[in-house]
Amino acid sequence: MSKQIKLGLFVLIGIFSIIVSITLLSNYSFGSKYTVCAYFDDVVGLPKKAKVKIAGVDVGSIKSIRLENGKAKLVLYINSDIKLYEDAKIKIVTSGIIGTKHLSLATGTPGRPLLKDGGVIASEGSYSLEETVANITEKLSKILDTVSKGIDETFFNNLRDTVSNLKQVTKAVADKEQNITKVIDNFNSFSSDLADITNSNKEAINKIVQQIEKITEKLDKFATNINEGKGTVATLVNDEEMAKELKETVSDIKTTVSDVKALMTRVNKLEIDWEYMGRYDSRNEKFRNDFGIRFRPNDHKFYYVGVSNIGNASGEKNEFEREHLNKLDALIGFRSEYLEAYGGVMRSKGGIGVGISPFDKIYSKYRRLYFNIDALFRTETAENKNDNVPNLIIGARYGITHWLYLGVQVEDTLTNTNFMPYIKLKVTDQDLASMFGVAGIAAAGSK
């Protein structure tokens, strides 16, 4: 193994060791988080590194505790996969009688607006063990005092008042007895009047009944004509061929609507990444530019089309440089949760590769640490017998944000090692939509 290869591997191992050491020593959590704030009147006994739990499961921790306007302000780290709504609440609880204290979190009502990063979450009153014991002791003392004194004069006074109130209610019912009798008499009078009205209007009532009978006969005749196939309505109802055609038409409409909905679903799920990589070629002392577009129809597949070593080939005098400019990339890749494999055309040659994201899912929007190994296949030429040896590329990069990455890769690892540090920018279609939306709002506001 040449000195350049050893140097490249030593640098990669050193970068990885530094990242792991910083992570372990700083108690850093690899899960992405966001912060919320909560205010309490009293946090006595609450550890500075107390956990935040939902149903007993850890979902976060305390970032800091400080005094603000006479209250304790808690800044909390919450896991990014936990959704909190505006009516979410938090309280201090104790695990067991002599257990340590932690924060119990209720997420709120789904459907309400989400609590934003840095938002304030409502706190519920909490009692310390000492306060709870004191309250229980005070209540027991009052009960024992009452029992020890026995039934006093107040009890008899209350009983006498109750009997007096019961007498008043009974008297009120007796006074209203005459009114109740009048109501019953009025109902009887109404029944008698109704009977008189019915007797005096028998002829009119008979005419109404006769009209109803005529209408019923016409409805029966209409139904009979339909059953016998007479009239336009009967034709529509009884024509089996027309019914069949109508059924087929409705079925075709349903199929078309279903196909349109499926197509719209696939289009809505398609995500696009616009990627740029700037590499410094330390062997040739050149700065290389790559640009491509990555299409992601789902979390487990992607297509990539791009150009490597972008430059003005017609103005390049060096033949080697001119031959290596503007090379095509066209790849298809498949992903699991933490591993991806891809292949196709790399720099206008056949190639394959694998990538691994040890801490974040491979298809997540932001990956902190990513390793890759690519192999580009070359054809042996008379000038260079090593061209039949694949160009083996080993790389690693660290995500500063979801759109900015810093990395290093070693090319031609098996033949003539070339050390390349690089910077990568990635912008999603959602980022572009957000930027254009903000620009549109700013332009409208300036008018």
Side-chain angles (χ1 to χ4, degrees), residues 10-195:
F10 178 79
V11 172
L12 287 176
I13 294 172
I15 293 174
F16 180 76
S17 300
I18 291 172
I19 293 173
V20 172
S21 300
I22 293 174
T23 301
L24 295 176
L25 292 175
S26 61
N27 195 24
Y28 181 78
S29 174
F30 288 114
S32 58
K33 298 178 179 293
Y34 64 98
T35 60
V36 294
C37 302
Y39 292 87
F40 287 92
D41 293 330
D42 188 359
V43 293
V44 62
L46 182 66
K48 292 184 178 179
K49 298 296 182 181
K51 298 294 184 181
V52 180
K53 299 184 178 184
I54 297 177
V57 179
D58 292 353
V59 297
S61 60
I62 295 177
K63 177 184 178 182
S64 64
I65 301 176
R66 61 176 180 268
L67 190 63
E68 186 176 297
N69 297 328
K71 291 191 175 183
K73 179 181 180 181
L74 276 63
V75 181
L76 312 176
Y77 277 136
I78 304 297
N79 295 346
S80 61
D81 58 342
I82 302 299
K83 295 182 179 179
L84 299 181
Y85 302 93
E86 286 188 346
D87 60 341
K89 293 184 179 180
I90 193 168
K91 63 181 178 179
I92 302 173
V93 298
T94 304
S95 302
I97 296 178
I98 59 173
T100 58
K101 293 184 177 181
H102 66 271
L103 296 168
S104 179
L105 180 60
T107 58
T109 305
R112 297 196 64 174
L114 290 172
L115 192 66
K116 297 181 180 178
D117 186 15
V120 178
I121 186 171
S123 60
E124 293 182 335
S126 59
Y127 298 94
S128 64
L129 180 61
E130 295 81 1
E131 292 175 338
T132 304
V133 172
N135 290 334
I136 294 173
T137 303
E138 183 180 357
K139 291 180 179 179
L140 286 175
S141 298
K142 290 181 179 179
I143 293 172
L144 292 175
D145 289 341
T146 302
V147 173
S148 63
K149 291 179 180 178
I151 300 175
D152 55 12
E153 184 179 355
T154 303
F155 173 79
F156 291 105
N157 291 335
N158 292 336
L159 181 60
R160 183 168 52 252
D161 292 340
T162 302
V163 173
S164 177
N165 292 334
L166 183 59
K167 287 181 179 180
Q168 293 178 4
V169 171
T170 305
K171 184 176 182 300
V173 172
D175 293 339
K176 299 298 180 180
E177 182 178 0
Q178 186 178 0
N179 293 333
I180 295 173
T181 302
K182 290 181 179 179
V183 171
I184 295 173
D185 292 339
N186 291 335
F187 182 77
N188 291 333
S189 177
F190 172 76
S191 300
S192 178
D193 293 340
L194 183 61

Side-chain angles (χ1 to χ4, degrees), residues 12 16 342 354-359 369-373 395-397:
L12 287 176
F16 180 76
Y342 45 88
V354 294
I356 183 172
S357 174
F359 304 122
L369 196 59
Y370 177 82
F371 301 95
N372 67 286
I373 300 177
R397 66 171 176 260

Side-chain angles (χ1 to χ4, degrees), residues 360-378:
D360 304 290
K361 291 184 178 180
I362 199 78
Y363 45 78
S364 61
K365 186 176 181 181
Y366 169 59
R367 296 175 296 192
R368 283 158 295 177
L369 196 59
Y370 177 82
F371 301 95
N372 67 286
I373 300 177
D374 299 340
L376 281 67
F377 301 107
R378 298 178 289 202

Side-chain angles (χ1 to χ4, degrees), residues 276-288:
Y276 165 79
M277 178 184 289
R279 299 175 286 123
Y280 179 71
D281 186 345
S282 60
R283 182 174 60 192
N284 299 300
E285 297 183 349
K286 293 281 187 178
F287 195 79
R288 311 291 187 187

